[in-house]
Amino acid sequence: MIWLGGLLGVSFLATPVKFQAPSLDLPTALDVGRVTFALLSKTEWALCAIVFATTLLSPQSRNLRLGVIAVLALVLIIQAVWLLPLLDARVSQIIAGVMVPGTPHHRLYIAAEALKVVLLLGLSLDALSALRAPRDVQRCA
């Protein structure tokens, strides 16, 4: 849930709002975004490792949870190895004053972020239901 909250806060709240600030020019906003998403990426790797470890240690660990975590890791790999470097290079060109043609990479990054939100929401709801299950058993006893 911490990962989900951070992802929503950075990718879907702070980043779009930053571009609405009239005193912030585009190169500065892009540079701040580049730094922000580099740190978010590192943080997500740490959170993915924590979620993976706690899932392995959980007595209720299930293959579906591990599969979802594997998909999350794959999305992180795609972003770290392919999308972020391309977007960083593009930001560098824009900051340098180069007019760059449009590419689909930004939309692909947004789609990857949305997929992570859906997967993390599913994991969170599953974890919450697992927490509730033992209480239901105790009430019946």
Side-chain angles (χ1 to χ4, degrees), residues 41-63:
S41 178
K42 291 173 186 161
T43 304
E44 286 185 300
W45 279 109
L47 291 169
C48 188
I50 291 168
V51 170
F52 177 69
T54 56
T55 299
L56 287 179
L57 295 173
S58 171
Q60 298 171 339
S61 181
R62 293 187 293 200
N63 289 337

Side-chain angles (χ1 to χ4, degrees), residues 1-75:
M1 287 183 177
I2 292 170
W3 184 0
L4 177 60
L7 179 62
L8 288 170
V10 170
S11 295
F12 296 102
L13 182 63
T15 298
V17 168
K18 171 180 59 196
F19 289 99
Q20 295 177 8
S23 64
L24 192 61
D25 64 0
L26 181 62
T28 303
L30 290 172
D31 198 28
V32 169
R34 175 174 42 189
V35 172
T36 302
F37 280 95
L39 180 58
L40 176 64
S41 178
K42 291 173 186 161
T43 304
E44 286 185 300
W45 279 109
L47 291 169
C48 188
I50 291 168
V51 170
F52 177 69
T54 56
T55 299
L56 287 179
L57 295 173
S58 171
Q60 298 171 339
S61 181
R62 293 187 293 200
N63 289 337
L64 180 60
R65 284 186 200 162
L66 293 173
V68 170
I69 295 165
V71 173
L72 284 165
L74 178 62
V75 172

Side-chain angles (χ1 to χ4, degrees), residues 105-118:
H105 300 113
H106 186 247
R107 285 188 291 281
L108 290 171
Y109 193 89
I110 294 169
E113 295 291 89
L115 176 59
K116 288 190 296 188
V117 166
V118 170

